[in-house]
Amino acid sequence: MSDTPLPQPLLEDEELERLDEFLDSESVDPDALDLISAHGFLVALAVAPREVESATWVAELFHGEPAFADAGERSEILGLLEKLHGNAIDTLEQGGLPELPFDLSLEGLPPEETPVGDWCAGFMEGVFLDEAAWFEQEEETVATLLLPFMALSGLFDDEPDMAEMAADSAQLEALVGQLPDLVLDLYLHYRVPPETPKPMPRKKRPAGRGPGKGKPGGKR
């Protein structure tokens, strides 16, 4: 029996469908994130080393203010986004894995032509929103952990360092299956302090022989 935790859905299916319907509607800017990208974006914000104000990320996700039908729809949609974000935090805090809203396979296609690529691009958009905080400490470690998201996002294909990885379809396919674990690894990186060596106990000195002390009864 495996000890690997089962990925946890961050919203119910009907909630995801409602978000998908709205994000794909004419009420939203054409450049706004779609459901898959928004999911990756909000998971990245759950991982992020410091909190981003909701007004900031909402404006980024929608590329402005959507044409909500009324206050009720605005409250409903923003509530679902906040719920997804909050559930991602709760899942990661408990050491769980987030369930991603797609099959963990490229099926022989380039990543940017799949939901995998869209999700990773959304995740990287979340990183870009506060990039300085992500790389503030242990930049090399963070870059290594983010490399699979970068490679699968298709946003960095023009960079020479990515060319070799992007051409290795078997390696990319393997990375896809690791995405939920990589999300948790990043979350733990920012919240679990590195182990430090235990201090060596100081040797006890004989009574009266500490620094600056003379022999008992002797001159000082």
Side-chain angles (χ1 to χ4, degrees):
M1 187 173 180
S2 174
D3 293 331
T4 304
L6 292 174
Q8 300 298 309
L10 303 182
L11 286 179
E12 300 295 334
D13 288 346
E14 59 270 21
E15 294 173 321
L16 287 171
E17 288 172 8
R18 175 65 180 116
L19 269 183
D20 188 25
E21 175 189 27
F22 182 79
L23 291 172
D24 194 40
S25 72
E26 295 184 357
S27 301
V28 179
D29 188 285
D31 292 328
L33 301 183
D34 62 12
L35 175 66
I36 301 297
S37 300
H39 191 287
F41 179 77
L42 292 169
V43 169
L45 295 183
V47 169
R50 66 184 176 197
E51 185 176 353
V52 176
E53 291 186 3
S54 58
T56 300
W57 64 253
V58 166
E60 184 69 20
L61 190 155
F62 286 117
H63 279 244
E65 177 76 5
F68 293 110
D70 49 38
E73 182 176 66
R74 186 178 193 279
S75 178
E76 176 197 14
I77 297 302
L78 295 185
L80 288 175
L81 294 171
E82 290 277 11
K83 184 177 179 181
L84 195 163
H85 176 238
N87 285 348
I89 292 173
D90 291 343
T91 297
L92 294 167
E93 193 173 272
Q94 295 165 21
L97 304 179
E99 182 178 274
L100 307 188
F102 48 81
D103 292 332
L104 295 177
S105 174
L106 296 174
E107 299 181 352
L109 296 171
E112 60 272 19
E113 296 180 15
T114 71
V116 176
D118 293 339
W119 188 90
C120 287
F123 189 96
M124 291 308 302
E125 290 291 343
V127 173
F128 298 150
L129 200 57
D130 194 11
E131 190 172 358
W134 285 74
F135 291 97
E136 190 172 19
Q137 296 181 350
E138 300 185 60
E139 182 176 350
E140 188 173 339
T141 299
V142 174
T144 300
L145 288 169
L146 283 176
L147 186 61
F149 300 86
M150 297 168 68
L152 291 166
S153 72
L155 299 175
F156 303 87
D157 287 353
D158 293 337
E159 297 189 9
D161 292 349
M162 289 289 176
E164 185 176 345
M165 182 176 286
D168 190 339
S169 57
Q171 184 180 11
L172 292 177
E173 187 70 47
L175 291 176
V176 174
Q178 298 171 23
L179 283 174
D181 294 281
L182 290 167
V183 169
L184 181 57
D185 288 345
L186 272 166
Y187 181 84
L188 295 175
H189 168 77
Y190 288 116
R191 284 155 184 84
V192 178
E195 290 187 9
T196 55
K198 293 182 179 179
M200 294 292 291
R202 290 186 298 175
K203 293 181 180 180
K204 293 183 178 179
R205 296 176 180 271
R209 299 297 180 95
K213 292 184 179 179
K215 295 180 181 179
K219 294 182 180 178
R220 294 184 181 270

